[in-house]
Amino acid sequence: MRERRGSGLSVQEFCASLTEQHLKQGRDLHIFSCGHFKKNLGAMKRYNHSVAPIIRAEPTRGLIDEQVQLEVVHLVPSQRVTLQSKLLSEDADWWEAYGHYASDSEGIVRVTRDQSHGGTYMGQEPMGLIWSMKLAPGSRPGKRLRKKDVTIPYLVIVSVYDGWISNTFDKRAALASVVLERFYMAPGTTRLELQEGRTIGTMFFPPGPGPFPAVLDMWGGGGGLVEYRAALLASRGFATLALAYLGHKEVPPSLQSFDPKLSYFEEAFNTLNNHPKVSNDNIAILGLSLGFTLALMMAVELPNIHPKCLVCISGSHYHLLGQGKTDLPDFQLHSDKIIMTEDGAMIWRNIIFPFPDDQKFMVQVDKVQCPMMLISGQDDQNWPAPESAIEIQKIMKAAGKGHLLTSLSYPQTGHLIEPPYSPHVRESNFKVHSVNKTVNVLWGGETKPHADAQEDSWKRVLAFLGKHLVPQHSATIVQAKL
């Protein structure tokens, strides 16, 4: 195992690295150098100020799920300004957002208090500059913003410009700028690359000796090893195993990972359960999309494991296995159920809907013995998650197990319900591993309601995990100070 601890770049290192990247790409960079401020000092002199505008941010370093207090001071009263945020992704794509504000009688803009009058978001939105980010004009289409190296933060540049503008930011002089460092790993959180038996993944542990309550974290059919949610859960007090089970070079072929006895997943659960820093038999399973179904199957069909609770996001109880081999939906066979949008995005939600009458194709959720939280978006265009949630509620109630179920359903929310303030992506590229082909998929959701759902559901997930994994502690959720 290789271990890494949460860490960050200094502002100076960030500026140097970005400057080098922009010089290589032949782009202008407008941040923080003395030359930049000297060059644009004349633009500021027209204001009768003894002090130039300043952006204050608290905190400038924080976890990705923490709010930031932003304000601009030393403006002219009633001055119209534009606040813009941008970051360079690990795929070298720029993401940006902006809002139009007017300063108060004291020349101050407080983002937590004031209304955005236009831009990528409207109204009083303290974190609008983060969750409303979109790919910058001219970027490659079809991308999602997903953190690969969780040991370093996202670096978000927030700048203020004179007037209400919507483009040509790179051709204008910023009145002031600040860098926000947004982490998935709190100080002292440890990361261990895991390859034990057949289990492949990454383990994250909160600071301290433990033992800790734990979460087995599974993403969906996009495959690979996705770590950022697990890192954030560990930063909030839960030892977490981000499990690779599909589309990863170190994972065995799908027949071994999805064998009818679910042996790969049982082994992964036991690997986590037996770790010396994990509180034995105090484990939750969290799954999104395909991970949702696998979480249900593990709870129902593996008699030798006993999860304390389940968190299931944007999936269904449609059974994935049949007759001793994988039975994933065949996108070519069900092409008549795939809807194509005008811009060529695929809508998959009807592939398995309506659900078959033959119950052998459905997970027997009436056998679930532990508390379960279902989270779905009512505008999920990728999978019939809201319909599945309704069916599961009916089945659990009929079985006298309705008390075990907590169901959250969010209007105008799509499939990709991620940690809070993650930019909403309505459609993006997606690799279908069964045919080794990348297609454009419509996930659904509208930006503002989807952002609200992500913020609300994350708080509820943390509270749910805290209630069922560590009920003796009233404050499982820790506020990390970076």
Side-chain angles (χ1 to χ4, degrees), residues 144-147 184 219 226 228-229 288 313-314 415-425 450-451 453-455 457-458:
R144 288 172 62 186
L145 185 62
R146 307 190 82 188
K147 199 76 177 72
Y184 283 96
W219 286 79
V226 185
Y228 55 89
R229 185 170 61 195
L288 180 142
I313 307 171
S314 299
H415 185 73
L416 300 177
I417 302 176
E418 301 207 58
Y421 315 127
S422 301
H424 168 244
V425 176
H450 192 95
Q454 291 186 151
E455 184 175 2
S457 62
W458 181 250

Side-chain angles (χ1 to χ4, degrees), residues 55 72 75 79-85 97-102 109 116 118-121 129 158-167 169 172-176:
I55 301 177
V72 187
L75 297 168
Q79 181 178 346
R80 290 186 173 188
V81 295
T82 300
L83 277 168
Q84 184 220 26
S85 62
Y98 65 94
H100 295 156
Y101 290 89
V109 168
S116 169
T120 55
Y121 63 99
L129 284 169
V158 178
S159 302
V160 60
Y161 295 86
D162 184 33
W164 286 354
I165 59 176
S166 301
N167 50 37
F169 291 99
R172 296 174 180 264
L175 303 179

